[in-house]
Amino acid sequence: MGMKKNKLLSDILFILWAGGAALLSYSLVYALRKPFTAAEFNGLTVCGMDYKIAVTVVQILGYLLAKFAGIKVISELRREARLGFILFSVGIAEMALVFFAVLPVPWNVLAMFFNGLALGCMWGVIFSFIEGRRVTDLLASLLGISMVVSSGTAKSVGLYVMNHFHVDEFWMPAVIGACALPVLCLLGYCLHCLPAPTEEDVLQKSERCTLDGKQRWALFRNYMPFLVMLLVANLMLVVVRDIKEDFLVKIFDVKGNGYSSWIFAQLDSVVTLIILTIFGLMIFVRDNFRALLVLLGLVMAGMVTMAYVSIRYEELQLDPLLWLFIQSLCLYIGFLTFQTIFFDRFIACFRIRGNVGFFIVLIDFIGYSGTVVVLTVKEFFSPEIEWLPFYNRLAGFVGIACCLLFSGAFVYLLRRHRRQAPAPVVETTPAGLPVSML
């Protein structure tokens, strides 16, 4: 009995250590990347393009290039090199923000390219510390929550710094980044000190290993129909998410609706708690194949709801805050599923030799490519479109299309499972302990 209690306590402490460090680390990555979205840069243009859209597109281009490089870098990055990668990346990101403040308009836009380039692989690196463990569902849930919390928080902090401390909108991102940088370096060290996966972890979730070019192509080719459907669906999800994040101030009029500048952080906190609960409960679904089906079912339900609320926006006459809540919840359930626990379960289910980072940077590269195209086309061909109707039309189309694609992926998994019986799963308790040990 004493050994069981000690093991349970050890698991709880590990979850708090690893999950807390991962959550806070990526939250602070947002502090280096997203505060500029709180600024409006009214009246400024770059080559005929709205200045804020230009900054967003240039940063995403850097982010996109990093994702493309990350298909190789993250897949092949070894454990001992992760901390150095984090320290170098965040240092370059903060330097870019300083140059954004110092250089004159429009040349300072170029600085944001290097900011995006430096931060594009951070999610994959941080996730590599926590994948392939018995409690990865909980750890990945905590890490994924950082995306939801940090987006609204970064905007709210940016607005607060400008409104209360009267920091210039060009210096505001660098000031916030300078505060986040030392803490992020410390958290990177905490992740670096995590112990390697145990034998029990490997038995339940399979061993994670690096992938060279030939191995990456062989893996993609083996599951090509399934991965293509997920890649196309995630492309559309990333486009909607990025437009919502970067232009939420324009889509949702804070002052006009009578809300405080902290409304984004408050709303995202509620969304966060719901998603944390849903993903945390997945630890009770011990069979990896069933977990994949449950996750796809949740995502399809979210897409149907998002499409319905968007298409019938005028008829439903929802309160603006309720509308924003539903949009955020449905969108992040879909997006975070594939950024967190889905591919970890996928690898474990079919005992794939590889790592989650390869899948994540691949879907991110495709997704951010779509964001750049949509923003550029919107600016040059329909610059006067109002943001709220534009977002609702886009979200409605994406909800329907993604539901169809995820349904196809669901059918593929069923058929593949019949042809290729996955390796047996070790039954565990909710704490992750094999039943045989009890």
Side-chain angles (χ1 to χ4, degrees):
M1 181 66 71
M3 289 181 62
K4 294 183 210 174
K5 288 183 178 180
N6 290 337
K7 183 65 176 176
L8 180 60
L9 179 60
S10 175
D11 284 342
I12 292 174
L13 291 176
F14 180 80
I15 291 170
L16 294 176
W17 173 13
L23 188 158
L24 292 174
S25 294
Y26 203 71
S27 297
L28 292 174
V29 169
Y30 265 74
L32 286 165
R33 181 182 165 217
K34 286 293 186 179
F36 84 91
T37 60
E40 296 190 11
F41 306 110
N42 290 325
L44 297 177
T45 59
V46 178
C47 299
M49 180 185 290
D50 178 83
Y51 182 82
K52 185 171 182 179
I53 291 183
V55 172
T56 302
V57 170
V58 168
Q59 188 194 50
I60 291 177
L61 284 173
Y63 209 68
L64 180 64
L65 181 59
K67 295 295 184 184
F68 178 71
I71 295 174
K72 173 181 174 62
V73 173
I74 300 302
S75 299
E76 299 179 4
L77 187 66
R78 298 189 178 279
R79 177 183 175 86
E80 58 270 16
R82 293 171 188 166
L83 178 59
F85 187 96
I86 290 175
L87 298 178
F88 178 78
S89 296
V90 298
I92 295 297
E94 175 60 16
M95 286 179 60
L97 294 179
V98 172
F99 278 108
F100 178 70
V102 171
L103 294 175
V105 176
W107 303 110
N108 62 345
V109 172
L110 297 176
M112 296 305 289
F113 173 84
F114 294 98
N115 178 269
L117 182 65
L119 299 175
C121 291
M122 288 295 289
W123 176 265
V125 176
I126 294 173
F127 197 94
S128 64
F129 286 106
I130 63 172
E131 70 168 298
R133 302 176 187 271
R134 292 171 294 124
V135 292
T136 290
D137 284 358
L138 286 175
L139 300 179
S141 299
L142 290 171
L143 176 57
I145 301 275
S146 66
M147 280 190 178
V148 185
V149 173
S150 305
S151 176
T153 302
K155 294 177 183 66
S156 296
V157 171
L159 290 171
Y160 186 83
V161 168
M162 289 189 295
N163 294 338
H164 294 269
F165 294 100
H166 308 291
V167 175
D168 178 80
E169 59 186 352
F170 291 100
W171 272 105
M172 174 267 293
V175 170
I176 295 174
C179 295
L181 182 63
V183 183
L184 182 52
C185 293
L186 178 61
L187 289 168
Y189 179 74
C190 291
L191 289 170
H192 175 72
C193 293
L194 289 174
T198 65
E199 292 183 1
E200 296 170 17
D201 293 329
V202 174
L203 184 62
Q204 183 175 343
K205 287 293 188 70
S206 78
E207 184 178 4
R208 305 306 161 94
C209 57
T210 58
L211 293 167
D212 60 27
K214 290 182 179 180
Q215 291 169 328
R216 290 193 296 271
W217 172 242
L219 174 56
F220 181 80
R221 186 173 52 192
N222 191 22
Y223 296 94
M224 185 179 293
F226 177 71
L227 293 176
V228 167
M229 285 185 283
L230 295 188
L231 286 171
V232 174
N234 274 276
L235 183 153
M236 293 185 282
L237 281 177
V238 171
V239 169
V240 176
R241 186 199 73 129
D242 275 2
I243 289 176
K244 174 182 172 293
E245 283 192 358
D246 294 338
F247 299 96
L248 189 55
V249 175
K250 294 179 180 287
I251 296 170
F252 186 83
D253 184 3
V254 174
K255 293 181 180 179
N257 287 300
Y259 298 111
S260 74
S261 60
W262 290 98
I263 187 61
F264 300 132
Q266 294 168 358
L267 182 67
D268 285 347
S269 296
V270 177
V271 171
T272 295
L273 291 175
I274 295 174
I275 295 178
L276 174 61
T277 301
I278 293 173
F279 284 2
L281 290 173
M282 289 302 298
I283 199 169
F284 292 101
V285 184
R286 302 184 181 99
D287 182 88
N288 291 312
F289 176 68
R290 290 179 182 174
L292 293 176
L293 298 184
V294 170
L295 289 171
L296 282 176
L298 286 171
V299 171
M300 286 188 285
M303 293 301 98
V304 170
T305 304
M306 185 176 77
Y308 180 80
V309 170
S310 300
I311 294 172
R312 301 202 61 191
Y313 175 78
E314 297 293 339
E315 292 87 346
L316 292 173
Q317 293 292 305
L318 296 175
D319 179 85
L321 193 59
L322 177 60
W323 171 85
L324 183 59
F325 169 77
I326 295 173
Q327 290 286 341
S328 298
L329 183 61
C330 294
L331 182 59
Y332 278 109
I333 283 179
F335 179 76
L336 289 177
T337 292
F338 298 98
Q339 290 286 328
T340 55
I341 60 179
F342 186 87
F343 287 113
D344 187 74
R345 290 284 198 157
F346 180 64
I347 291 174
C349 178
F350 295 102
R351 311 303 287 186
I352 296 170
R353 287 186 57 81
N355 54 72
V356 174
F358 165 67
F359 292 107
I360 290 179
V361 294
L362 183 61
I363 63 174
D364 278 353
F365 170 68
I366 301 296
Y368 285 106
S369 299
T371 298
V372 172
V373 171
V374 168
L375 290 178
T376 304
V377 169
K378 185 268 168 196
E379 179 64 13
F380 284 105
F381 293 95
S382 303
E384 301 303 323
I385 287 182
E386 295 183 6
W387 279 103
L388 180 57
F390 171 74
Y391 175 83
N392 270 322
R393 285 194 293 270
L394 181 65
F397 168 78
V398 167
I400 294 172
C402 284
C403 187
L404 294 174
L405 288 167
F406 290 136
S407 297
F410 190 96
V411 173
Y412 176 92
L413 277 181
L414 289 173
R415 292 181 176 178
R416 184 71 184 239
H417 184 259
R418 294 193 185 104
R419 298 199 313 267
Q420 177 183 338
V425 176
V426 178
E427 187 177 1
T428 63
T429 66
L433 290 171
V435 171
S436 59
M437 292 184 63
L438 304 179

